[in-house]
Amino acid sequence: MVKVTFVSSKGTRREVEVAEGETAREAALFNDVPGIDGDCGGVCACATCHVHVDPAWIDKVGRLADDSMESDLLQFAEGTSEYSRLACQIPIMPELDGLVLHVPEQQY
Ligand code: FES
C-alpha cells in the first residue's frame, strides 16, 4: 500500500492508503476524501478531480503535458496553478509513497 495525504483548502490533512496502480482519484473517492468529485468516472472528461500537487512532489508526479486532453480540460477548472493535475491521471506507484495533494476549494 502507498500512503497519500490530501490537504483541504482549509489545511486539514487526511492520509489514506492506496493500492499500487489505483489513481489519486480512486484514493480520494474510496476513502471519502471531500472535495474530489470525479464525475466522469476517471476517464479524463470532466475536470472535477482537479488537485494541486505539492511542489515537493511535482517532479515525481510529472507536470501537466501541453497539448494533452488533461491540459484542455483543466482550462475549464477554477483556480489552476503550475502544479495542477487531474487526480484520475495520476497513477499511484510505490515511488509516490508519501505523496501530498492539495484539494481546491471547489471543483466548479
Ligand atoms: S474524474 Fe473526470 S477528469 Fe478526472
Side-chain angles (χ1 to χ4, degrees):
M1 299 294 273
V2 181
K3 289 187 174 136
V4 177
T5 298
F6 291 91
V7 184
S8 78
S9 60
K10 301 203 182 321
T12 304
R13 299 176 76 87
R14 173 88 184 278
E15 184 180 279
V16 302
E17 291 198 336
V18 192
E20 179 183 339
E22 290 183 346
T23 65
R25 170 194 176 272
E26 292 166 331
L29 295 186
F30 293 170
N31 290 284
D32 297 321
V33 173
I36 306 287
D37 296 330
D39 290 343
C40 74
V43 297
C44 197
C46 70
T48 63
C49 63
H50 175 209
V51 292
H52 301 275
V53 177
D54 191 273
W57 286 92
I58 193 66
D59 289 337
K60 277 195 176 171
V61 170
R63 291 182 186 270
L64 184 64
D66 290 338
D67 299 326
S68 62
M69 172 101 67
E70 185 180 0
S71 172
D72 290 346
L73 275 175
L74 276 168
Q75 292 178 20
F76 301 103
E78 292 285 326
T80 56
S81 74
E82 63 183 297
Y83 304 107
S84 289
R85 292 292 311 269
L86 293 176
C88 70
Q89 302 303 302
I90 303 174
I92 301 300
M93 305 309 280
E95 57 266 31
L96 294 183
D97 190 34
L99 174 64
V100 178
L101 298 172
H102 299 268
V103 180
E105 188 171 354
Q106 59 184 22
Q107 291 287 348
Y108 298 94

